[in-house]
Amino acid sequence: MPLGKNDDMFNKRIKIRELLATEPAGQEVTVMGWVRTFRNNQFIALNDGSTNNNLQVVLELGKFPEETLKRITTSASLKITGTIVPSLGKGQKMDLNAATLEVLGDSDAEKYPLQPKKHSLEFLREIAHLRFRTNTFGSVFRVRHSLAFAIHQFFNEKGFVYMHTPIITASDAEGAGEMFRVTTLPIDGTAPKNEDGSINFKEDFFGRSTNLTVSGQLEGELGATAFGEIYTFGPTFRAENSNTTRHLAEFWMIEPEMAFYDLEDNMNLAEEFIRYIIKYAMEHNREDLEFLSQRLAEEEKALPQDKRSEMGLIEKLEFVLNNNFERLTYTDAIEILRESNHNKKKKFQYPVTGWGMDLQSEHERFLVEKHFKKPVILYNYPAAIKAFYMRQNDGCAPGQQTVAAMDILAPGIGEIVGGSQREERQENLENRMKEIGIPVEELWWYLDTRRFGTVPHAGFGLGFERMVQFVTGMTNIRDVIAFPRTPGSAEF
RNA sequence: UCCCCUUUAGCUCAGUUGGUUAGAGCAUCUGACUGUUAAUCAGAGGGUCGUUGGUUCAAGUCCAACAGGGGGAGCCA
């Protein structure tokens, strides 16, 4: 097939987003897209997914045969050639006066489920394979794309190495929740067994028991202690029976891991990172964000006054760009919560008992949404409520051992980032592992980072879908991933 | 996994203290009109009231179980 011969190409179309940015001056163009509405047997609102804005195609009366007009139904796909002129109508700046029109694919109007009207997000979730054709999901997924792209750009500019950590892992040593087992052994009870009756995984595909990854962090630390700075960005799986608006069984996570970073460096990076990708979306997806902002405002009209956001979506994002996150220690947070009127009036479901307690989401929400009214970074948590690999802080008061952990809490979402400086001292790390029953032998490869040239290092994990929720204002996490996997649900 | 709410036409919803033939808007179809903007106007078709069982002379309506959906909690990202 000859290359570079544009005349032979089927697709010489101009994208509608690009076309709408030009001035209408009688130019001849070809567009392709899907019908959103067909009014008056004369006006087609054509959408090609490049933007929520439709192109108005004008059909001269009598020019096209009746049989063709009948086929211009919602979501039918069309190829149209014609000239671009200033619109005579008020809703748009240009019209495409159609010279030729070809129906590429019909769409049976009686069966097509989307209508030119408002649909509930719940209904659209049931037709997740078609919901991209709506304005809301068009905007959400274009923004999701931009955020993903910005993430790579941010780390690339900083010289981080993008590391692909394994999806299938053998380590189940982290104790981070339920895992999905990966096996080729039969499930009908005929799998080979050991003498004690347990499954003999030596006979399995990998010769051992394997699972889908719950985090790439431990592998990430291996990369960081060689490249200096790495990040992962990939799918993560949790088999927890969580049924909430912010949990998925399959989600995407970004996990940077940096050698020669302490906790403060870590917080600085996380904050800069979040701001960078929001800014990127604000600059590249302004229209989509404005649409989503309007959608959210509309949705919140149905809520009682006290449940509505104080800021609009755009306003909130600008606020995050222009204001530093509030940073405070766990210990200070407990004090604030204890002294709050909310607590004194016993309005917390879980009373603030004092130092050492795990913060409940109502406490986090109080700090973020009521007290500080901005994103908050909490750090230096009690060791007892945090993971084994977090660095033990020196010089803690007796009975108040803390670790160099930090969580970033966002309004409306809750925890969006969890990170820490890692325990780089081999002895401390091993002692801690033994204390909480994590098999030291199984993680021999991880501990090698501490054996051979250990360095202070830190990292964090950011839930991508929660970030997309924050930026798009979508309240249910199932609406920011194309095909959500949740307990009891894996359609499509 | 626990608690609460919910399920009526393709969609969004009404449906009274249990009482005759279950309604509306939008969508769809037919026709009219033709510079429309979720076009408008006229007409038509469309329902095993989530499923199963129970109470009752009588159940869309009351009760129970199950299933789907939503919200909250826990776990976390």
Side-chain angles (χ1 to χ4, degrees), chain A residues 164-407:
Chain A
H164 295 107
T165 51
I167 308 291
I168 299 172
T169 60
S171 86
D172 54 353
E174 287 177 68
E178 291 296 306
M179 299 173 115
F180 289 101
R181 184 178 292 288
V182 175
T183 181
T184 55
L185 293 176
I187 55 169
D188 58 4
T190 62
K193 300 222 168 47
N194 296 313
E195 280 175 17
D196 65 359
S198 61
I199 305 281
N200 180 7
F201 285 105
K202 289 207 176 71
E203 299 287 318
D204 203 352
F205 186 89
F206 295 106
R208 58 189 304 167
S209 163
T210 52
N211 303 287
L212 293 178
T213 183
V214 293
S215 162
Q217 183 203 311
L218 300 190
E219 291 88 349
E221 287 186 50
L222 304 176
T225 51
F227 296 107
E229 294 163 325
I230 65 96
Y231 71 105
T232 73
F233 184 2
T236 308
F237 308 87
R238 306 266 167 97
E240 268 140 30
N241 193 4
S242 302
N243 295 287
T244 78
T245 53
R246 52 191 190 285
H247 288 88
L248 290 164
E250 176 182 293
F251 63 101
W252 288 66
M253 190 153 62
I254 297 102
E255 294 180 289
E257 198 68 39
M258 300 76 64
F260 320 115
Y261 268 54
D262 67 10
L263 185 67
E264 194 179 351
D265 298 323
N266 200 22
M267 291 192 269
N268 291 343
L269 181 79
E271 202 173 328
E272 184 187 349
F273 168 66
I274 289 171
R275 219 168 260 137
Y276 182 98
I277 63 176
I278 290 176
K279 187 160 178 237
Y280 185 92
M282 291 279 269
E283 283 168 2
H284 292 81
N285 297 78
R286 190 72 196 189
E287 274 176 9
D288 287 321
L289 290 174
E290 271 164 12
F291 176 84
L292 290 166
S293 187
Q294 220 166 1
R295 190 207 70 83
L296 184 62
E298 202 66 34
E299 188 184 77
E300 290 198 342
K301 275 186 195 165
L303 298 176
Q305 199 81 44
D306 63 315
K307 298 251 174 167
R308 295 182 200 168
S309 320
E310 288 184 23
M311 290 184 216
L313 181 62
I314 298 266
E315 207 184 345
K316 177 187 84 177
L317 295 175
E318 268 163 5
F319 181 87
V320 169
L321 291 183
N322 297 324
N323 292 278
N324 288 332
F325 298 179
E326 189 69 35
R327 298 186 188 187
L328 75 161
T329 63
Y330 165 89
T331 306
D332 290 343
I334 289 289
E335 265 323 293
I336 288 171
L337 288 167
R338 204 208 317 252
E339 294 303 315
S340 68
N341 282 332
H342 206 77
N343 185 48
K344 287 177 178 165
K345 290 182 189 162
K346 301 200 189 311
K347 286 200 183 156
F348 285 123
Q349 192 192 334
Y350 295 86
V352 181
T353 51
W355 200 94
M357 67 177 282
D358 210 347
L359 295 179
Q360 305 294 320
S361 52
E362 60 172 342
H363 302 135
E364 296 180 347
R365 272 209 311 278
F366 176 84
L367 289 170
V368 172
E369 288 159 24
K370 295 273 186 292
H371 191 81
F372 291 112
K373 301 189 177 188
K374 62 194 315 204
V376 170
I377 309 184
L378 288 181
Y379 63 99
N380 288 350
Y381 280 84
I385 58 173
K386 286 290 178 183
F388 75 92
Y389 47 73
M390 296 183 176
R391 191 180 194 279
Q392 309 257 327
N393 285 319
D394 301 316
C396 295
Q400 298 212 337
Q401 178 63 51
T402 59
V403 288
M406 62 106 176
D407 284 355

Side-chain angles (χ1 to χ4, degrees), chain A residues 105-156:
Chain A
D106 291 287
S107 173
D108 186 340
E110 282 191 75
K111 295 191 180 130
Y112 186 66
L114 291 169
Q115 305 153 22
K117 62 168 268 190
K118 197 168 237 172
H119 290 291
S120 68
L121 295 174
E122 290 81 6
F123 171 66
L124 293 172
R125 229 170 270 153
E126 286 169 20
I127 50 166
H129 60 305
L130 294 175
R131 63 180 177 169
F132 309 113
R133 299 188 186 192
T134 63
N135 283 338
T136 297
F137 287 95
S139 288
V140 165
F141 286 102
R142 277 189 297 269
V143 170
R144 182 181 165 114
H145 158 78
S146 281
L147 290 171
F149 184 82
I151 285 164
H152 287 297
Q153 185 166 288
F154 174 81
F155 287 119
N156 187 52

Side-chain angles (χ1 to χ4, degrees), chain A residues 9-53:
Chain A
M9 285 175 69
F10 163 70
N11 188 348
K12 286 187 290 183
R13 73 184 176 117
I14 183 168
K15 289 195 185 181
I16 289 172
R17 178 189 168 91
E18 197 183 326
L19 181 57
L20 291 177
T22 64
E23 286 309 312
Q27 64 270 42
E28 183 170 307
V29 297
T30 298
V31 295
M32 301 190 207
W34 295 268
V35 176
R36 280 287 172 84
T37 62
F38 185 33
R39 285 185 292 269
N40 228 355
N41 238 1
Q42 202 180 355
F43 301 97
I44 303 169
L46 193 75
N47 188 282
D48 70 357
S50 60
T51 165
N52 272 351
N53 296 315

